[in-house]
Amino acid sequence: KDSKSGLALTSLVPYRQDSCIALASQPMHQRSFTQKLHSFMNGCEYRDRVLTMDTMNPNVKRVEYAVRGPIVQRAVQIERELKMGIKKPFTEVIKANIGDCHAMGQKPITFFRQVLALCSYPDLLEDSKFPEDAKSRARRILQACGGGSLGAYSTSQGIEMIRQDIARYIEQRDGGITCDPDNIYLSTGASDAIVTMLKLLVSGEGMSRTGVMISIPQYPLYSAALADLGAVQISYYLDEDNCWSLDISELRHALQEAKKHCSPRALCIINPGNPTGQVQSRQCIEDVIRFAAAEKLFLMADEVYQDNVYADGCKFHSFKKVLFEMGLEYSEKVELASFHSTSKCYMGECGFRGGYMEVVNLDPEVKVQLTKLVSVRLCPPVPGQALLDVVVNPPQPDEPSYDTFIKERTDTLATLAEKASMTQEILNQVPGIKCNPVQGAMYTFPRIHLPPKAILEAKEKGQVPDMFYCMKLLEETGICLVPGSGFGQRDGTYHFRMTILPPKEKLKIVLAKIKEFHQHFMEQYS
Amino acid sequence: MDRLGERRNYNEVLDLSSGDLHRGGIKPITFVRQVLAACFYPALLEDDSLPLDVKQRAESLLRECDGGSIGSYTESSGIAKIKHCVSQFITRRDGGVPSSPDNIFIKSGSQTALMIMLKLLISGKDLCQTGVLIPVPTYASFTLALEEQGAAIIPYHLCEEQGWTLQVEELRKALHTGRKTCNPVALYICNPGNPTGHIQSRKSIEEVIRFAAEERLFILADEVYQSCVYGDDTEFYSYKKVLSEMGSTICSTVELASFNSVSKGFMGECGLRGGYMELVNLDPAVKEYASRLFSTRSCPPVVGQIALDLMAGPPKPGDPSFPTFSEEVQAIKNTICKNTGRIQEVFAELPGISCQPLKAGFFVFPCLHFSLKAIQWAKKRQMEPDMLYCLRLLEETGLHVRPGCEYGQRKDSHHIRLFVATQENIMEDALQRLKTFHTPFMKEFS
């Protein structure tokens, strides 16, 4: 069954659900003929479906998410082929496309997993193998759960005790600035909270349609959500020549242009950045806040990588802290939502779908609507809520689990820092690849110079040049990266995003292979 | 005593307002929690305390996770092996009707999956606005979800006198009315029903499917209460099974999405957020976009996926955990049966409250027969009579139940919704509180 052939022969297979794959690979105009043929052969009356590409919600067609896009699908296919014994120039696919720490061998934090196990099966509270500090936290969490079980619904905003603990954590992080637990909304990963806020922000038609500012390059959840909601994406370019820093004049320029065709209402910023890894300076954050205040923009601060800061001289400054240190003129007026999750930092617990947002200066009536909106999805996963609680209540110096915890956390972050600097060093040795310092987060986003011949061949194949490059890299080395076009980049420039997550030794090999591939590629298309 | 120092007749609020098994005092299934604990903390696999089948299941699930950790992302539509397990569960349930893992999409709860289907179906404004037929009564968060998605709601009334049955004539009437103001595209069914607890006969399901085929409607079959069936001579038929047995034209053309989750049934794991939908006869090109929509939310919570696997593939006779497992499941069934029996006994003694035979689901939705006096008193306070009844019930006895006005009901009919899947002593307590409140209340307004 050659699904690529598109021959009429494939359509004579009796219509069953599993022949849908053959059907889907045929071009549109052939498909309805094939459907008619199938129906005829099965003695069915042919009818148009209720839900077709024509009747489907049109916004859905515009949704793309490069991190799990076509290149990843091809990588999965190659993995299957390897399993079936098909020979390739490599023995494994290395998925350096997605920010998944545990998948790449990073170990979970022991203490967190102990507490979750105790919460899930409380009989273990009698088991002497578990330390007392883990047990006390588990008991406390279970007391806050309905029926003492992780399986009970929580309120839609999230378990109150946990929101109180998070508020305390934020206060400590931000040098004592008050945090109201009622302004904390737990969510299913940070993505859930981000989309919820965007839903609230997007409205209007035509000239008054909401415009949302987002960086180029950006994490494609934002572009996907904006497409899905039918909002106007207002792109502002980060400055590649200056370590991907944010330039206020660029923000201003983008805004002025946007005002001509939409109603700008929000400004999204990812700090530390994804895919670029830049850590914004305090001055920059102040400038952004001033800009948002002057232009009346709602600030969305995506801070999920806040513990992933590696470069000397770089420090994480939370938007909330800076805002409140700028005086009442700003702290009482600027509307801000900041986002955090359990997926990154040193925890890497992506599969738990734990996250929260803190809203600041939200209109009280809008807050009522927000609370109503989150109630539709009932509640965020309780294990994720429980995990967040332990993250903000880690072992203290006088507790039994402290030493192990600190060691695990320090080692994890130190390893990431080493890999960040190793990555930028090695990639910068390759002629034709230029890599900005990986100041934070989990990725490198190097610029690749592609010879005109390669660009031409890509165009002939109907592929964006960096997708063409990445696909070739995948087929020849088994390394899966995401082309820069999935994140956005200046016209005429090409990039790829690679995670720094593979174990050090493997990462060295990956970088060496990329170096080799790039040199060969340059020669081939010179 | 409350904050104001007022004396109350009760020590604590008894909350029977939501369909939450664990909150109602029922314990989680031991096998499920043991497997989860081992998945959270694999060091437990070295432990002697856990049964062999628990360890084997945890190991086999961890093998499916990248890096052997439940903290890793998974495929957007769920771990392949778990989807496979779910499809086998469906095939067994439906007496052999094939189910493909490719048509299974796991999500963080059935609601989330339902929202994604709605997102695909809903668009347009005014006369082109997508209309969805929904039963009256129906649970409140669903109505909210439809409004949020921008759908036009087309209500169809269930027939209370006949045990809350779904009648096609009513569907037809509702559709006809709906067509005047919007573009009806989908028909939402909840079977077994919430809050009504009715369960459709096979014949009823066939009629509905035929109606959907004739009128070209996409069926959304919410079947999360499928394993909560306790009435005598009552059986659950899945929409998929009935559809598959209806002749080649209908079975290969009617589009259906059915939903199930770990929140109900004997699992009661609402907080873990595990659910799935199975798609039947969906356009392959549309399915491609559905997958894409799924991928933007990375993946469903892994703990919820694991719970689904355990629901779909529970311990079998001969497994070390089977005796405890089957005891626990039977105990839950017995409790619900005893509770529904007690409820019917108590209601029989009380004036002005009646309910349809209890067959399935987690709730009872009795009808309150208010006097004119009571209705006028409520009107004066600008509230629905059943809302006021519930508020006073809570104030005076601490029993928390929900009023029928939140679910929709025929004009001038009033109801309350009570959760029935609680520990027997809690149910008894609740019924006593209701008794002590109800009779004086009815007398007051006679």
Side-chain angles (χ1 to χ4, degrees):
Chain A
K1 277 188 198 167
D2 180 8
S3 63
K4 283 194 189 143
S5 70
L7 293 172
L9 206 57
T10 62
S11 68
L12 291 178
V13 174
Y15 187 75
R16 281 181 328 213
Q17 281 179 339
D18 55 12
S19 69
C20 281
I21 301 157
L23 201 59
S25 64
Q26 289 179 310
M28 266 318 286
H29 64 276
Q30 265 187 4
R31 252 180 261 174
S32 58
F33 167 74
T34 317
Q35 279 172 342
K36 285 179 170 129
L37 188 62
H38 284 182
S39 306
F40 171 73
M41 294 196 61
N42 286 293
C44 320
E45 191 193 298
Y46 172 72
R47 312 160 58 231
D48 262 333
R49 286 188 168 91
V50 175
L51 184 57
T52 63
M53 290 303 290
D54 292 329
T55 60
M56 185 178 80
N57 181 344
N59 283 347
V60 174
K61 285 189 208 148
R62 303 189 295 146
V63 172
E64 305 273 347
Y65 183 64
V67 180
R68 288 176 180 247
I71 196 160
V72 180
Q73 287 161 13
R74 177 67 190 135
V76 169
Q77 219 175 2
I78 291 176
E79 269 179 329
R80 284 198 205 115
E81 289 170 14
L82 279 171
K83 261 202 186 119
M84 295 194 300
I86 297 176
K87 278 227 160 289
K88 301 231 174 247
F90 47 89
T91 51
E92 64 167 327
V93 170
I94 297 172
K95 297 227 200 70
N97 58 296
I98 190 166
D100 190 340
C101 305
H102 294 189
M104 289 287 119
Q106 181 176 309
K107 294 278 159 261
I109 300 291
T110 305
F111 186 72
F112 296 160
R113 293 305 192 84
Q114 286 174 331
V115 175
L116 261 306
L118 290 162
C119 286
S120 125
Y121 184 49
D123 279 19
L124 292 172
L125 290 164
E126 314 300 312
D127 189 330
S128 57
K129 287 190 218 76
F130 287 87
E132 200 43 54
D133 46 6
K135 289 184 182 177
S136 70
R137 279 168 185 71
R139 284 193 196 100
R140 190 168 167 270
I141 289 169
L142 288 177
Q143 249 176 350
C145 294
S149 163
L150 292 182
Y153 284 120
S154 77
T155 61
S156 312
Q157 200 173 337
I159 293 172
E160 188 172 3
M161 182 198 85
I162 298 179
R163 290 188 283 112
Q164 287 166 348
D165 290 352
I166 291 173
R168 234 185 335 260
Y169 167 84
I170 292 174
E171 281 176 359
Q172 267 175 345
R173 181 198 68 186
D174 293 345
I177 294 164
T178 314
C179 177
D180 182 354
D182 207 40
N183 286 334
I184 306 284
Y185 285 77
L186 300 187
S187 54
T188 309
S191 304
D192 173 28
I194 290 167
V195 172
T196 299
M197 273 319 302
L198 287 175
K199 276 188 187 159
L200 281 177
L201 283 161
V202 175
S203 64
E205 305 268 334
M207 274 297 289
S208 70
R209 189 75 182 152
T210 301
V212 177
M213 302 189 75
I214 180 67
S215 57
I216 295 296
Q218 47 102 37
Y219 171 53
L221 165 73
Y222 289 91
S223 46
L226 295 176
D228 186 0
L229 293 168
V232 177
Q233 179 174 330
I234 306 169
S235 305
Y236 61 88
Y237 288 93
L238 297 176
D239 190 351
E240 182 159 20
D241 296 330
N242 274 301
C243 238
W244 296 113
S245 62
L246 206 161
D247 180 4
I248 295 295
S249 60
E250 166 59 25
L251 275 183
R252 206 166 280 134
H253 171 80
L255 186 68
Q256 289 320 312
E257 283 306 303
K259 277 183 178 162
K260 295 175 186 165
H261 59 266
C262 72
S263 202
R265 284 203 187 97
L267 165 55
C268 300
I269 178 160
I270 309 172
N271 182 50
N274 175 5
T276 53
Q278 92 281 13
V279 177
Q280 300 297 351
S281 68
R282 201 210 155 85
Q283 181 63 53
C284 177
I285 294 176
E286 282 188 22
D287 290 344
V288 170
I289 291 171
R290 238 170 246 124
F291 176 77
E295 302 290 346
K296 295 203 83 193
L297 295 169
F298 192 107
L299 266 175
M300 306 246 303
D302 184 342
E303 300 175 327
V304 301
Y305 296 98
Q306 54 190 262
D307 294 339
N308 300 111
V309 176
Y310 317 122
D312 283 332
C314 286
K315 190 166 175 265
F316 169 71
H317 303 277
S318 82
F319 262 80
K320 171 136 179 260
K321 179 167 200 272
V322 176
L323 174 65
F324 276 74
E325 288 172 354
M326 284 170 70
L328 294 172
E329 178 198 348
Y330 294 97
S331 65
E332 281 187 341
K333 287 226 297 283
V334 175
E335 291 149 82
L336 166 70
S338 32
F339 306 91
H340 196 18
S341 96
T342 60
S343 303
K344 313 298 176 189
C345 296
Y346 64 92
M347 301 82 80
E349 300 281 14
C350 318
F352 276 68
R353 313 311 300 122
Y356 72 78
M357 72 173 162
E358 179 187 10
V359 295
V360 176
N361 293 326
L362 197 67
D363 179 305
E365 281 174 21
V366 173
K367 195 153 181 294
V368 169
Q369 294 304 311
L370 170 59
T371 307
K372 188 175 83 168
L373 191 58
V374 301
S375 74
V376 174
R377 57 111 174 83
L378 301 174
C379 75
V382 179
Q385 298 189 44
L387 175 60
L388 261 172
D389 194 63
V390 211
V391 168
V392 302
N393 277 320
Q396 294 305 297
D398 58 338
E399 288 183 305
S401 305
Y402 180 75
D403 288 337
T404 310
F405 169 74
I406 288 296
K407 182 168 190 311
E408 287 177 352
R409 188 179 74 180
T410 310
D411 283 351
T412 299
L413 290 173
T415 307
L416 283 169
E418 274 175 53
K419 292 193 285 190
S421 92
M422 176 174 89
T423 300
Q424 107 201 21
E425 205 188 295
I426 294 181
L427 287 178
N428 276 323
Q429 289 166 4
V430 184
I433 297 186
K434 184 173 176 309
C435 184
N436 269 324
V438 179
Q439 294 176 341
M442 292 176 178
Y443 315 95
T444 179
F445 196 66
R447 175 133 173 230
I448 47 175
H449 290 279
L450 301 180
K453 253 185 168 179
I455 297 173
L456 197 62
E457 188 171 320
K459 292 215 165 102
E460 279 164 15
K461 282 211 163 96
Q463 276 181 332
V464 177
D466 48 21
M467 173 65 91
F468 171 71
Y469 177 95
C470 289
M471 277 294 196
K472 243 174 168 279
L473 177 71
L474 175 63
E475 299 287 347
E476 289 177 27
T477 67
I479 298 168
C480 182
L481 310 177
V482 190
S485 45
F487 303 88
Q489 55 204 348
R490 279 199 187 278
D491 274 340
T493 67
Y494 308 104
H495 302 77
F496 61 72
R497 187 189 82 165
M498 186 185 91
T499 70
I500 58 167
L501 299 176
K504 229 180 354 176
E505 288 316 305
K506 191 167 263 181
L507 185 61
K508 276 197 193 130
I509 297 173
V510 167
L511 291 167
K513 282 193 173 179
I514 292 176
K515 185 172 176 180
E516 193 189 318
F517 168 83
H518 192 85
Q519 282 164 341
H520 177 76
F521 185 91
M522 295 292 271
E523 280 164 21
Q524 192 186 351
Y525 291 97
S526 62
Chain B
M1 297 271 264
D2 68 9
R3 273 176 303 174
L4 298 173
E6 276 180 40
R7 276 217 156 273
R8 291 197 182 274
N9 297 334
Y10 52 91
N11 286 329
E12 53 174 27
V13 169
L14 209 164
D15 192 348
L16 292 187
S17 65
S18 76
D20 195 329
L21 212 62
H22 299 179
R23 189 177 289 270
I26 306 279
K27 294 271 158 273
I29 300 290
T30 303
F31 178 74
V32 172
R33 292 313 189 82
Q34 286 175 329
V35 173
L36 284 176
C39 288
F40 278 124
Y41 189 53
L44 284 170
L45 294 169
E46 320 292 317
D47 231 49
D48 287 330
S49 58
L50 292 179
L52 189 61
D53 52 351
V54 166
K55 292 197 215 178
Q56 284 172 339
R57 186 67 84 93
E59 272 168 354
S60 92
L61 285 164
L62 286 173
R63 264 199 297 272
E64 302 303 315
C65 298
D66 284 344
S69 163
I70 58 170
S72 296
Y73 286 120
T74 72
E75 283 299 307
S76 325
S77 57
I79 292 173
K81 188 155 192 241
I82 297 180
K83 290 197 295 177
H84 187 74
C85 182
V86 169
S87 71
Q88 286 184 319
F89 158 80
I90 292 171
T91 303
R92 271 196 318 270
R93 176 199 71 187
D94 293 343
V97 178
S99 166
S100 164
D102 286 339
N103 289 324
I104 309 275
F105 290 80
I106 298 179
K107 256 305 170 189
S108 57
S110 62
Q111 289 299 286
T112 315
L114 184 52
M115 299 269 272
I116 300 235
M117 261 337 288
L118 290 174
K119 188 181 280 284
L120 288 169
L121 285 162
I122 294 170
S123 60
K125 281 197 177 65
D126 305 324
L127 275 173
C128 295
Q129 187 184 11
T130 305
V132 180
L133 285 142
I134 74 167
V136 176
T138 202
Y139 62 99
S141 64
F142 181 56
T143 322
L144 203 58
L146 284 170
E147 283 167 358
E148 198 232 309
Q149 300 272 23
I153 292 172
I154 309 167
Y156 62 88
H157 289 266
L158 300 176
C159 180
E160 180 164 15
E161 306 78 50
Q162 311 247 347
W164 296 110
T165 49
L166 207 165
Q167 299 182 327
V168 175
E169 265 325 294
E170 174 58 30
L171 279 180
R172 215 179 294 278
K173 237 183 9 191
L175 182 64
H176 181 74
T177 310
R179 283 203 168 119
K180 295 181 185 152
T181 51
C182 68
N183 176 30
V185 154
L187 166 58
Y188 170 84
I189 311 269
C190 189
N191 181 51
N194 173 8
T196 57
H198 80 281
I199 184 164
Q200 281 184 280
S201 67
R202 202 202 154 92
K203 181 155 169 286
S204 170
I205 297 177
E206 282 181 13
E207 285 172 357
V208 171
I209 292 175
R210 214 164 273 127
F211 173 76
E214 282 162 13
E215 302 292 350
R216 295 197 57 233
L217 296 168
F218 193 111
I219 300 180
L220 300 166
D222 188 343
E223 300 174 325
V224 298
Y225 292 99
Q226 57 186 265
S227 57
C228 317
V229 179
Y230 38 79
D232 292 328
D233 303 322
T234 310
E235 212 185 309
F236 167 76
Y237 296 99
S238 76
Y239 263 76
K240 171 136 177 268
K241 179 172 162 67
V242 177
L243 177 65
S244 72
E245 293 169 356
M246 281 177 76
S248 54
T249 312
I250 288 188
C251 81
S252 62
T253 55
V254 172
E255 291 146 86
L256 166 69
S258 33
F259 304 88
N260 195 5
S261 93
V262 302
S263 301
K264 313 298 170 185
F266 57 83
M267 302 270 293
E269 299 282 10
C270 319
L272 300 187
R273 315 311 302 126
Y276 70 82
M277 71 176 169
E278 182 183 22
L279 299 174
V280 179
N281 293 328
L282 197 75
D283 183 312
V286 173
K287 201 161 80 153
E288 180 53 43
Y289 279 95
S291 302
R292 217 178 277 195
L293 266 186
F294 269 75
S295 79
T296 58
R297 300 300 188 93
S298 62
C299 71
V302 181
V303 175
Q305 295 191 47
I306 291 174
L308 256 178
D309 185 83
L310 302 175
M311 180 187 88
K316 294 187 301 293
D319 292 347
S321 300
F322 182 73
T324 308
F325 170 78
S326 59
E327 261 169 42
E328 289 173 346
V329 173
Q330 194 57 48
I332 294 171
K333 288 196 176 133
N334 292 346
T335 297
I336 297 179
C337 279
K338 286 228 176 78
N339 287 347
T340 53
R342 271 304 284 152
I343 287 169
Q344 285 177 134
E345 271 170 30
V346 170
F347 284 5
E349 296 167 21
L350 294 174
I353 186 168
S354 64
C355 74
Q356 295 300 312
L358 302 170
K359 296 272 173 75
F362 271 177
F363 303 99
V364 58
F365 199 60
C367 185
L368 297 172
H369 306 283
F370 290 125
S371 65
L372 201 58
K373 202 171 164 199
I375 295 173
Q376 282 167 347
W377 164 79
K379 220 180 189 158
K380 247 194 261 168
R381 280 161 184 72
Q382 293 181 322
M383 257 200 224
E384 289 296 322
D386 44 19
M387 173 65 94
L388 265 177
Y389 178 97
C390 290
L391 284 171
R392 266 188 68 170
L393 177 65
L394 178 61
E395 273 296 309
E396 293 178 23
T397 70
L399 177 60
H400 182 198
V401 301
R402 301 310 303 175
C405 56
E406 286 184 348
Y407 303 91
Q409 51 203 350
R410 282 202 188 282
K411 198 161 120 57
D412 298 332
S413 74
H414 312 284
H415 302 80
I416 51 172
R417 189 188 81 164
L418 247 114
F419 181 56
V420 306
T422 73
Q423 276 177 354
E424 286 164 50
N425 58 332
I426 293 180
M427 189 79 248
E428 199 53 48
D429 184 354
L431 289 171
Q432 288 314 309
R433 295 190 197 200
L434 186 64
K435 249 167 79 171
T436 53
F437 168 80
H438 182 86
T439 314
F441 179 91
M442 286 312 202
K443 246 210 183 115
E444 189 184 326
F445 291 99
S446 61

